[in-house]
Amino acid sequence: LCERAAQVWPTRPALVDGERTLDHAALHAQVQRVAIGFRALGVQPGDRVAVWLDKRLETVIASFAATACGGVLVPVNPVLKPAQVHHVLADAGARLLVTSTGRHAALLDAGALPCEHVVLTDADTPQHAGAQAWNRLDGDADAPLPRRLDTDLAAIFYT
């Protein structure tokens, strides 16, 4: 979806968040960068990638990147309490969580995280082992992302 929109409407606005705007080409580039970063962290096809953020650009980018890298998106309702989020992460078998430093701290206060990696969208240098800064995600840009089929699982929603 992002790739096609970037080809057809590269300079049209795709996302607006307050003062920040991404056109379709920039959105696609960000999704690719983050997907490559997720792969570098070890996300394999079928791995669950949970996103627990409020409404912001990074939420959309991470959601598209989760499936672009072959993972399965697990969007976590931003109003859930840490104990509820722990349940979702464990039940889904999340390998990676994308969240903010404040939400991450609340989760750690509620117990050990059941996922292997955490990407923090608002930290330059995370203070916890296993945490990675959003703006430092990188990987081999020449490594191809997995090809997705229309029968692949794309998302798991908890209601």
Side-chain angles (χ1 to χ4, degrees):
L1 182 64
C2 289
E3 182 177 13
R4 178 75 175 130
Q7 292 169 353
V8 177
W9 310 292
T11 60
R12 285 192 187 167
L15 296 173
V16 178
D17 180 13
E19 299 295 316
R20 300 187 305 166
T21 300
L22 285 180
D23 62 29
H24 286 285
L27 174 60
H28 177 62
Q30 285 291 317
V31 167
Q32 292 298 109
R33 180 189 70 81
V34 172
I36 290 166
F38 288 174
R39 292 285 293 180
L41 289 174
V43 174
Q44 297 295 313
D47 285 347
R48 277 50 171 168
V49 176
V51 178
W52 189 38
L53 292 167
D54 56 350
K55 295 177 182 177
R56 58 185 354 174
L57 296 177
E58 293 84 1
T59 307
V60 177
I61 294 165
S63 297
F64 279 118
T67 56
C69 76
V72 177
L73 170 65
V74 181
V76 181
N77 188 326
V79 302
L80 291 183
K81 304 282 188 255
Q84 295 168 307
V85 176
H86 270 276
H87 169 76
V88 170
L89 296 175
D91 188 68
R95 178 151 195 199
L96 183 144
L97 169 66
V98 180
T99 193
S100 64
T101 54
R103 289 173 188 265
H104 183 235
L107 284 174
L108 291 175
D109 288 345
L113 290 180
C115 48
E116 186 177 345
H117 297 284
V118 177
V119 174
L120 301 174
T121 59
D122 57 352
D124 288 329
T125 308
Q127 302 300 312
H128 300 281
Q132 171 76 34
W134 174 267
N135 61 355
R136 294 177 188 239
L137 284 174
D138 64 359
D140 182 0
D142 294 327
L145 292 171
R147 191 158 171 12
R148 299 301 309 248
L149 303 174
D150 60 358
T151 55
D152 289 344
L153 181 61
I156 299 173
F157 292 91
Y158 285 79
T159 59

